[in-house]
Amino acid sequence: MSCSILILNGPNLNLLGTRQPEVYGPTTLADIEAMCNAKAQALGIDVVFAQSNHEGALVDMLHAARGVHAGIVLNAGAYTHTSVALMDAISSITVPVIELHLSNIHAREAFRQTSYIAPVAVGQICGFGAAGYPLAMDAILSYIGEAQ
Ligand code: DQA
């Protein structure tokens, strides 16, 4: 079976490209998806790219990753800073999760410096803009021993 990873995006990330480009950059989520697909093809792995603005839908997608994906890259958006439900969902599955943010959340408002994802994630990548997505793919593949 070929290795599959899930790249999951939370609220408001569907508006990337037009949403506060001075913070999040000019790249759209479709551009990022294309970048991730190209990298996955080059690596010979499968990638599923998804986005939802709804906390429960993100919980459902984390649960559904069991037995399907070898690892998950999660940009939980603002739910990073609020969601015990997402933290519990990650704790409830054995699929490893890398936490990802386009912006450096540690250099922003104080409320963004708390992450409910960080304590249950393998690690965190933030501050590299859209380039963080392929970096996070490398990180999860390295963690699960699929690095090429
Ligand atoms: C974000 C950072 C979050 O604080 C914010 O709420 C987002 C995007 C990022 O990718 O930088 O929606 O996750």
Side-chain angles (χ1 to χ4, degrees):
M1 194 182 80
S2 111
C3 169
S4 177
I5 63 173
L6 172 65
I7 302 180
L8 191 51
N9 295 281
N12 303 306
L13 293 167
N14 54 309
L15 298 184
L16 282 180
T18 55
R19 172 195 182 196
Q20 295 180 276
E22 70 285 4
V23 177
Y24 298 113
T27 312
T28 68
L29 198 62
D31 293 335
I32 292 173
E33 180 174 6
M35 191 192 306
C36 293
N37 283 333
K39 185 175 175 77
Q41 200 171 4
L43 293 173
I45 63 161
D46 293 328
V47 69
V48 171
F49 200 89
Q51 189 273 334
S52 177
N53 292 321
H54 305 279
E55 188 175 14
L58 294 167
V59 170
D60 287 343
M61 286 191 263
L62 288 167
H63 292 178
R66 288 174 302 162
V68 176
H69 299 291
I72 300 170
V73 172
L74 173 63
N75 185 347
Y79 291 140
T80 303
H81 318 298
T82 63
S83 181
V84 176
L86 285 181
M87 178 176 73
D88 283 353
I90 294 166
S91 298
S92 303
I93 62 175
T94 55
V95 189
V97 173
I98 300 277
E99 176 181 0
L100 172 67
H101 304 282
L102 294 126
S103 63
N104 179 357
I105 57 171
H106 304 288
R108 299 184 63 194
E109 301 96 321
F111 69 85
R112 293 189 205 274
Q113 292 167 34
T114 297
S115 169
Y116 284 88
I117 308 301
V120 292
V122 172
Q124 183 189 73
I125 293 173
C126 70
F128 296 100
Y133 282 78
L135 289 173
M137 289 174 70
D138 284 333
I140 195 67
L141 290 171
S142 167
Y143 182 77
I144 62 180
E146 288 280 342
Q148 336 257 318

